[in-house]
Amino acid sequence: EAQVTQNPRYLITVTGKKLTVTCSQNMNHEYMSWYRQDPGLGLRQIYYSMNVEVTDKGDVPEGYKVSRKEKRNFPLILESPSPNQTSLYFCATRGSTSYNEQFFGPGTRLTVL
Amino acid sequence: GQSLEQPSEVTAVEGAIVQINCTYQTSGFYGLSWYQQHDGGAPTFLSYNALDGLEETGRFSSFLSRSDSYGYLLLQELQMKDSASYFCADTGRRALTFGSGTRLQVQP
C-alpha cells in the first residue's frame, strides 16, 4: 500500500530539547515537503526537497532543519524548539509526472512547553 | 508574494449544492488545486486545474479563470460526510501555497 508515515504522531516536549520528526514514503517519489498547520493560517510550507541531497526553504523555515540523504526519508529537525513551534506538522510527497497531487502523512501534533 | 483567499466558513444542507470560492494574488501562478481535510485527518487531494475551465470528478467540480485570478470548488448532492475543511492551493513545480481554508458544515 502506498503511504507516507510520520513518527511520532504526538509529542509533548520542553523548550530547547532537540527533537526529530521522521517522515518516510514508499512511493519512490523524488519530491518531499514539510508543512505546519495552525488555526486560521492553513498549511504553510517549511521546507521541501526536489531530490536526494537537494533541499530548499519554504515560507516558514526559521527554527527548522531538514536533511534528505535517501529518497524515502525526509526528517524534520527542531534543534531548539520553542513554544511558537507548537503546531500540527504534515509531511507530503508527490510524483514527478503528476505533480499536482500531493500525498500527506497522518500528521504529528507537537506541543512545546 | 503569494496569497489565496477563501471564505472562512460555509453552511449548507444535505442534498444541496455549495460553491467555495478562491481568489489569488500570486506571482508565477501555475495551477490551482483543491484539498479536503476532515477534523483530525490529513489533507487529501480533490482536483487540479491547470487550464481555464471546469474539471469534473463525480460530485465535485472545480473551475479556474486565470484572467480573473479566481477559482471555485463546487460540491453537488451534499452529504453529511462532506463536512470538512477545504483548501485551495497554488500548485507550483517547487512549492505549494495554501489558502487558509473554508470550513463546510453540512446540516441535515
Side-chain angles (χ1 to χ4, degrees):
Chain A
E1 178 190 355
Q3 60 181 351
V4 182
T5 58
Q6 295 180 226
N7 282 291
R9 295 288 315 279
Y10 303 90
L11 179 60
I12 300 175
T13 188
V14 295
T15 299
K17 185 176 182 181
K18 181 180 178 179
L19 67 92
T20 299
V21 184
T22 65
C23 174
S24 183
Q25 51 101 358
N26 63 0
M27 290 176 272
N28 201 35
H29 287 168
E30 293 178 344
Y31 179 98
M32 297 185 75
S33 182
W34 276 102
Y35 299 87
R36 62 178 287 174
Q37 185 173 28
D38 303 289
L41 297 177
L43 292 100
R44 294 178 293 168
Q45 191 172 50
I46 304 170
Y47 269 95
Y48 64 96
S49 171
M50 297 294 288
N51 210 331
V52 175
E53 300 294 358
V54 179
T55 63
D56 274 305
K57 296 177 181 179
D59 294 325
V60 288
E62 294 77 20
Y64 305 94
K65 288 176 59 177
V66 292
S67 70
R68 189 83 185 279
K69 292 182 168 48
E70 49 190 342
K71 185 182 280 191
R72 65 181 292 121
N73 296 321
F74 190 43
L76 179 69
I77 303 157
L78 286 73
E79 294 270 2
S80 183
S82 62
N84 64 13
Q85 293 179 296
T86 293
S87 188
L88 179 59
Y89 292 86
F90 288 101
C91 178
T93 184
R94 72 168 191 222
S96 302
T97 52
S98 60
Y99 55 83
N100 48 293
E101 179 177 2
Q102 294 210 6
F103 302 89
F104 286 82
T108 295
R109 186 166 292 281
L110 172 66
T111 301
V112 183
L113 302 175
Chain B
Q2 297 171 298
S3 68
L4 298 96
E5 293 190 10
Q6 312 175 226
S8 59
E9 191 166 331
V10 173
T11 302
V13 296
E14 207 171 3
I17 299 172
V18 71
Q19 178 173 312
I20 299 174
N21 298 321
C22 175
T23 57
Y24 60 88
Q25 292 183 338
T26 65
S27 56
F29 175 81
Y30 199 90
L32 195 67
S33 298
W34 289 92
Y35 286 79
Q36 178 192 59
Q37 185 181 30
H38 286 99
D39 286 345
T44 56
F45 174 80
L46 291 176
S47 68
Y48 173 70
N49 293 74
L51 304 174
D52 284 4
L54 193 68
E55 293 282 342
E56 297 180 73
T57 309
R59 294 188 297 115
F60 295 176
S61 302
S62 58
F63 173 82
L64 176 65
S65 169
R66 288 175 175 269
S67 59
D68 296 321
S69 297
Y70 164 76
Y72 66 73
L73 179 70
L74 190 73
L75 297 85
Q76 303 181 72
E77 302 173 16
L78 280 174
Q79 303 175 8
M80 296 300 293
K81 67 178 182 180
D82 297 329
S83 292
S85 292
Y86 293 83
F87 296 88
C88 60
D90 175 8
T91 306
R93 185 175 178 274
R94 291 184 169 272
L96 195 150
T97 302
F98 285 86
S100 56
T102 299
R103 188 171 185 86
L104 171 63
Q105 292 188 340
V106 180
Q107 297 178 339

